[in-house]
Amino acid sequence: MAPTATVLMNETQVNAASGALGLAKDGRKLNIRARPHFETALEERTYRKQHLAAAFRVFADQGFDEGIAGHISVRDPILTNHFWLNPLSQHFSQIRVSDLVLVNEDGEVVEGNEPINGAAFAIHSEIHKARPEVNAACHAHSVYGKAFSAFGRELDMISQDALRFYNDHAVYTEFGGVVLDREEGKRIAQALGRGKAAILQNHGLLTVGGTIDEAAFWFISLDRTCHAQLLVDAAERGSGHRKKIISQEEAEFTAKQVGSSEKGWLAFQPYYDDIVAKTHGSFLL
């Protein structure tokens, strides 16, 4: 099992990274988890694969599975134009590190015993190519995500959690059926731009991040934000009350607090711990 990373930080650093208070009453400095540093690229590969397998288990727990739809990728830190994906026909809740499939930029399986989802390759290959700083991408047909995607619109900034995506998400409106063409993948990557998320109209959600942890948490949060938006819109129509949109000034300030890469990574760690506890770490092999 990859070690859990903790570092000793001063109060200013702790507040900046997590919003936590950094000093105990007796003056002790408190530990807070932070992204690990690796001695070798091989160690980093193991870590990425373990957290990728964990993300699939977490997605299953969240109900983001639906047949063979949905896929999560992470860039390989050694072969940087290759990425790891889930095998085509394995349920998210059963995926282990040893089940993951490594594919190259031509879609050829380099490691693994099963084929991959063609749509997964078409989307993820173009995102990884267009965004060198993105190491992970998540796509699934979650219920609230695909319900909200039917409107082909951006989220309203009506909650603190929605502000994670303030000026940082896009809508891809050109639904063309199952994405099997790399040109469609290129258009999705272009629509995503430099953002962390895209709402794929009549399809579902897509999130990206510098780490698999970050990308996975953004997806969880985005789906829940879509759910909240659907509830608020329905309540507004029936109640006569008007929803309040957060001001631009407050949105800009809060987005920096809740939408950073560090926050995304940290927010996924409780999910990682939970899935390790539930499975006794069986997926790590």
Side-chain angles (χ1 to χ4, degrees):
M1 184 185 305
T4 297
T6 59
V7 295
L8 200 62
M9 307 174 76
N10 64 38
E11 185 175 10
T12 300
Q13 290 172 318
V14 169
N15 284 329
S18 70
L21 295 178
L23 292 177
K25 184 177 179 180
D26 60 8
R28 290 176 296 115
K29 291 183 179 180
L30 304 177
N31 293 331
I32 185 168
R33 292 162 75 161
R35 284 183 290 184
H37 299 282
F38 303 96
E39 295 296 325
T40 68
L42 192 60
E43 288 180 2
E44 184 169 5
R45 172 187 278 174
T46 298
Y47 179 90
R48 289 189 186 187
K49 290 173 68 178
Q50 288 178 337
H51 283 242
L52 175 59
F56 287 116
R57 300 294 184 110
V58 171
F59 272 37
D61 260 14
Q62 296 288 321
F64 296 159
D65 56 294
E66 186 164 348
I68 61 171
H71 19 86
I72 310 175
S73 67
V74 69
R75 189 189 303 273
D76 187 80
I78 300 173
L79 305 170
T80 56
N81 60 349
H82 292 48
F83 53 93
W84 297 89
L85 278 168
N86 46 308
L88 174 65
S89 60
Q90 195 164 1
H91 193 271
F92 286 177
S93 67
Q94 301 298 309
I95 293 176
R96 301 169 299 171
V97 167
S98 55
D99 298 316
L100 298 172
V101 179
L102 180 67
V103 298
N104 63 22
E105 58 187 357
D106 296 318
E108 298 168 330
V109 172
V110 177
E111 289 188 33
N113 299 314
E114 281 199 43
I116 60 168
N117 187 310
F121 177 73
I123 294 173
H124 291 255
S125 62
E126 295 304 329
I127 289 172
H128 284 292
K129 187 181 295 184
R131 300 279 298 276
E133 83 286 4
V134 161
N135 289 315
C138 304
H139 168 64
H141 298 178
S142 57
V143 173
Y144 302 118
K146 62 186 176 184
F148 186 76
S149 78
F151 297 102
R153 52 171 292 205
E154 293 185 2
L155 295 162
D156 289 332
M157 296 297 108
I158 54 176
S159 71
Q160 178 174 296
D161 296 327
L163 294 176
R164 293 186 177 113
F165 307 100
Y166 175 71
N167 284 345
D168 211 10
H169 74 290
V171 178
Y172 178 68
T173 59
E174 302 176 38
F175 177 72
V178 178
V179 181
L180 296 176
D181 184 350
R182 291 187 69 170
E183 290 303 315
E184 180 83 348
K186 288 179 182 178
R187 289 191 288 272
I188 290 174
Q190 185 175 18
L192 173 66
R194 311 311 297 177
K196 64 163 64 90
I199 296 167
L200 311 182
Q201 186 168 351
N202 303 111
H203 189 172
L205 305 178
L206 172 75
T207 58
V208 300
T211 63
I212 182 61
D213 308 70
E214 179 190 350
F217 178 71
W218 296 149
F219 192 98
I220 294 168
S221 183
L222 183 58
D223 187 69
R224 292 184 177 182
T225 302
C226 288
H227 187 186
Q229 177 90 53
L230 291 166
L231 291 174
V232 168
D233 287 348
E236 183 180 47
R237 287 191 294 272
S239 68
H241 295 290
R242 303 296 296 175
K243 62 190 172 193
K244 177 176 174 57
I245 305 298
I246 297 170
S247 71
Q248 181 178 340
E249 182 180 4
E250 289 297 330
E252 289 176 351
F253 175 77
T254 307
K256 294 174 184 177
Q257 295 179 310
V258 300
S260 69
S261 295
E262 291 78 11
K263 265 295 181 58
W265 181 90
L266 185 61
F268 184 74
Q269 301 318 300
Y271 295 94
Y272 182 84
D273 293 344
D274 181 58
I275 210 67
V276 169
K278 286 177 177 176
T279 64
H280 304 288
S282 61
F283 66 88
L284 295 169
L285 303 175

